[in-house]
Amino acid sequence: MALESENERRIDDLARAIVAEVAPKEAEYFPAIAQATRRNPRRAFRGGGDDLLGFSLADAVTLLTPIVLTVLTGAATNTLTQAVERTSKQVSKSLWDKLFPSRPAPIAGSETVVPVLDPAQVKETAQAVEEIALALGVDKATALRLRQATFGHLSGER
């Protein structure tokens, strides 16, 4: 990841690194998935690649890229707590209503810089990734690896 300064971390660079660590096959399609997620966030959370990209990602039940981009957007725009609260509330509503109860919030652009987070914010962000992944049906082992990768990349350990 080429950075202009130590503190500058672009959202797509971070998201791509996290996804590549947990789902290398999905990472091959990161640019297309990220673009499709930004174009239509609602479709990004329907699972699989057929509907979102127009072609199949047979191994992907739930794409991780939209999850990571959504949480990193929350971290970059100081709306992470709201995203986590929406995920954990309204159990009887549809998944989309849990994540985005009104009009979907836009996903941050590829050049958006994710600020350096303090240790508590890093932990909260990593936990949010895991919680949202589990809410979307990602298996526990993958959700945990996603949390660990997010923590590692945001804390500077990776």
Side-chain angles (χ1 to χ4, degrees), residues 26-40:
E26 180 178 332
E28 294 177 34
Y29 299 99
F30 180 87
I33 298 168
Q35 181 180 30
T37 299
R38 287 186 175 99
R39 190 174 46 248
N40 191 342

Side-chain angles (χ1 to χ4, degrees), residues 18-19 21-23 64 67-68 122-123 125-153 157-158:
I18 292 166
V19 171
E21 187 172 325
V22 180
L64 302 181
I67 297 167
V68 174
V122 170
K123 184 177 177 183
T125 302
Q127 183 176 345
V129 165
E130 182 181 32
E131 288 176 12
I132 291 172
L134 289 170
L136 286 165
V138 172
D139 66 88
K140 289 181 182 182
T142 301
L144 177 60
R145 287 194 335 267
L146 192 58
R147 178 184 188 158
Q148 292 168 335
T150 301
F151 185 89
H153 287 279
E157 292 178 5
R158 295 187 180 141

Side-chain angles (χ1 to χ4, degrees), residues 13-57:
D13 294 336
L14 279 169
R16 182 181 293 113
I18 292 166
V19 171
E21 187 172 325
V22 180
K25 288 181 182 179
E26 180 178 332
E28 294 177 34
Y29 299 99
F30 180 87
I33 298 168
Q35 181 180 30
T37 299
R38 287 186 175 99
R39 190 174 46 248
N40 191 342
R42 183 180 300 267
R43 288 177 70 188
F45 287 97
R46 289 188 183 152
D50 296 343
D51 191 38
L52 180 65
L53 300 172
F55 59 88
S56 177
L57 293 176

Side-chain angles (χ1 to χ4, degrees), residues 46-157:
R46 289 188 183 152
D50 296 343
D51 191 38
L52 180 65
L53 300 172
F55 59 88
S56 177
L57 293 176
D59 296 334
V61 175
T62 301
L63 295 173
L64 302 181
T65 299
I67 297 167
V68 174
L69 285 173
T70 297
V71 173
L72 291 180
T73 294
T77 61
N78 295 320
T79 59
L80 181 61
T81 303
Q82 295 166 359
V84 174
E85 287 173 1
R86 284 190 291 242
T87 302
S88 62
K89 289 181 181 176
Q90 304 169 359
V91 175
S92 64
K93 287 197 168 198
S94 74
L95 178 58
W96 180 254
D97 288 340
K98 283 189 242 177
L99 290 172
F100 303 105
S102 59
R103 200 168 159 212
I107 302 297
S110 62
E111 295 298 313
T112 299
V113 173
V114 177
V116 174
L117 305 174
D118 66 39
Q121 291 169 317
V122 170
K123 184 177 177 183
E124 179 185 17
T125 302
Q127 183 176 345
V129 165
E130 182 181 32
E131 288 176 12
I132 291 172
L134 289 170
L136 286 165
V138 172
D139 66 88
K140 289 181 182 182
T142 301
L144 177 60
R145 287 194 335 267
L146 192 58
R147 178 184 188 158
Q148 292 168 335
T150 301
F151 185 89
H153 287 279
L154 289 176
S155 67
E157 292 178 5

